[in-house]
Amino acid sequence: MSLPSVTASRVVLIGTSSYMHMKDLPAVENNLQAFRELFRDEKLWGLPEEHCTVVSNPGSASAMLDPVRTAIAAAEDTLIVYFAGHGLMDTSGKELYLTIPGSDGKRLYTAVAYEHLRHELLESRARNRIVILDCCYSARVLGVMSGQEDGELLADMAAVSGTYVMAASDKIALTADEYSEFSGELIRLIGEGIPDQPELLTVNNIFRHAQAALRDKGKPVPQKRDTHFTHNLFLVRNKWFSDNHDSPLIGPIDHPLPQTLYERRRDLHDAGVHRPLQAGICGTADRGAESIVVSGGYKDDHDYGNVIIYTGHGGRDPNTGRQVRDQSAYDSGNAALIKSIMTGFPVRVVRGSGGNPEFSPQAGYSYDGLYTVTDYWTKKGVDGFSVLQFRLEKQLNAPASAMNAANWSRISGGIYADLRLADKLNRIYDYSCQMCGVTLEAPGGLRFASAVHIQGLSVPHNGPDSLDNMLCLCSNHRDLFRYGSIVIGDALEIIDQIGNEPLGVLIEKHHINRAYLSYHRQHHSIYNAPT
């Protein structure tokens, strides 16, 4: 997991802010300088100055595209081309033109055809290519009736196979910081980071959050096209992560005790119980959910006290409270809750006064302890759109030590397994099975695997809860190993006891104590398995 190579990557930032025949766009110059500083910032990416070219107010097509051609010749890892300025479209609605200072909206030949840039991009040897277009165009003025939203039409026209294209949806407009609206959101997200997201941000993650932010503000929504592109390309470090990595994360915290009351969301944040000031779900797809707030915000929620049916995030109109679009498992909050099912880590639950009055405070918020996310499903919500729902069950008999240290899973009686060990093991093998190498994936792009104890923890086996007594397996091989259909020899040979034949060799990236393998064989030998 790493960022693009700074020596084998190139960025070209193109912008036209001053015009002879069209309205000036002073925000464009601000955009160029801001992106330049962000990409060069060593805390974010650290691209060398000579690998980040700024082309401001190019006087001709060659002045605009020659730097792109130079970058294409040098970029082997990642190539980013950004353009901001007025955009024009021909009367057919099929050709986009990028403007330069002398461009005239009535004479398209004074602008630069996007097709020329597309042709150059197709010649690129870079493994990853990203195009960002923050421009308006005069499709409607020219009588083009496409039936598509501006951003969709622009994205379709700009699409290049193997390239991730982001396209603004409307005219260049200033934000409060004097950047254009779309670029301003990208600049903010890269510069400030994204709360509750992993250490490294993907290009798709950044775009999706910019898209959501503009949608929430009632602004035109940008679009993307990424045919044959790996949208999970890591682009920059998440500044929010580096600023907050020492904050409390998953599971119990030293304080407060359940039923503690808080007046405001800010008080929850300050206490480390639920850190976001607005979002109802705190967590990341990488680690899982940290905490949730149950406050009656979604009509499909059901609170039964020790069991909560919690509706996921997304698709709700903030003004009316109605669901206006389907929810997605790729939403960061929803993906975090799905991850919690896989890891078994508990989630802190906060109830707000707007929830079920039988369990919710009359005013403010109450911290109501730890819950386990046990299941999730999709259903048609009361407003007619698909929603995700999660079942959370209260942890009633957690070990006392859990309040001060680890997160635990109850095996039987008073036997608990440390979930942190399972999480560590899964990460060692990147969620791939040690027997077959298969990696299983859930909606939202989340990978999962099972951490299995070789010598069981409960009576009469009394095995230790330690990494050298654990295997990372897919669901199939987990059950085959658990029930003795498969045993493992001291040379790590995998033996199918049903067919009495070898199946291969176990992948070993962590130390496995052979004594536990021997114990498993002795207790599951049905043929002449090695002892």
Side-chain angles (χ1 to χ4, degrees), residues 255-267:
H255 60 85
L257 294 174
Q259 307 309 315
T260 301
L261 296 176
Y262 297 88
E263 182 178 354
R264 304 167 302 162
R265 290 286 290 260
R266 169 58 69 177
D267 299 327

Side-chain angles (χ1 to χ4, degrees), residues 194-197 209 240 244 247-250 262 264-284 288-295 310 313 331-333 336 347-350 365:
I194 304 177
D196 306 316
Q197 295 299 302
H209 279 81
W240 180 91
N244 293 274
S247 300
L249 288 174
I250 306 298
Y262 297 88
R264 304 167 302 162
R265 290 286 290 260
R266 169 58 69 177
D267 299 327
L268 292 169
H269 168 88
D270 292 343
V273 178
H274 183 77
R275 293 182 291 124
L277 297 178
Q278 291 185 332
I281 305 171
C282 178
T284 70
E290 176 182 332
S291 57
I292 65 168
V293 174
V294 183
S295 58
Y310 184 77
H313 174 264
D331 176 275
S332 59
V347 175
R348 298 189 295 274
V349 168
V350 174
Y365 301 88

Side-chain angles (χ1 to χ4, degrees), residues 30-174:
N30 299 333
N31 295 349
L32 298 178
Q33 297 309 316
F35 277 121
R36 176 176 176 272
E37 293 305 314
L38 290 173
F39 288 137
R40 291 183 56 206
D41 189 335
E42 292 186 358
K43 295 180 180 180
L44 300 176
W45 186 11
L47 196 69
E49 181 176 4
E50 62 272 19
H51 293 177
C52 186
T53 303
V54 175
V55 182
S56 179
N57 294 312
S60 64
S62 60
M64 176 187 288
L65 298 180
D66 280 351
V68 176
R69 188 173 183 83
T70 299
I72 286 173
E76 296 179 353
D77 189 324
T78 298
L79 171 69
I80 301 175
V81 178
Y82 167 88
F83 173 81
H86 288 299
L88 301 173
M89 189 195 303
D90 70 359
T91 54
S92 71
K94 297 180 180 179
E95 294 293 336
L96 171 67
Y97 290 81
L98 309 179
T99 57
I100 57 179
S103 296
D104 186 336
K106 297 179 180 179
R107 297 179 294 155
L108 292 181
Y109 57 83
T110 60
V112 180
Y114 178 78
E115 186 60 32
H116 296 324
L117 174 59
R118 184 203 306 272
H119 176 76
E120 296 299 325
L121 291 170
L122 291 174
E123 297 296 319
S124 171
R125 295 177 293 116
R127 289 191 292 272
N128 309 294
R129 298 172 295 186
I130 302 169
V131 173
I132 305 173
L133 297 175
D134 192 356
C135 59
C136 57
Y137 56 91
S138 54
R140 295 195 177 110
V141 174
L142 294 172
V144 177
M145 302 299 291
S146 68
Q148 291 177 282
E149 293 293 332
D150 286 359
E152 293 177 347
L153 185 57
L154 181 57
D156 286 340
M157 286 190 298
V160 182
S161 179
T163 303
Y164 192 105
V165 177
M166 306 181 196
S169 281
D170 203 0
K171 64 183 180 180
I172 293 278
L174 294 181

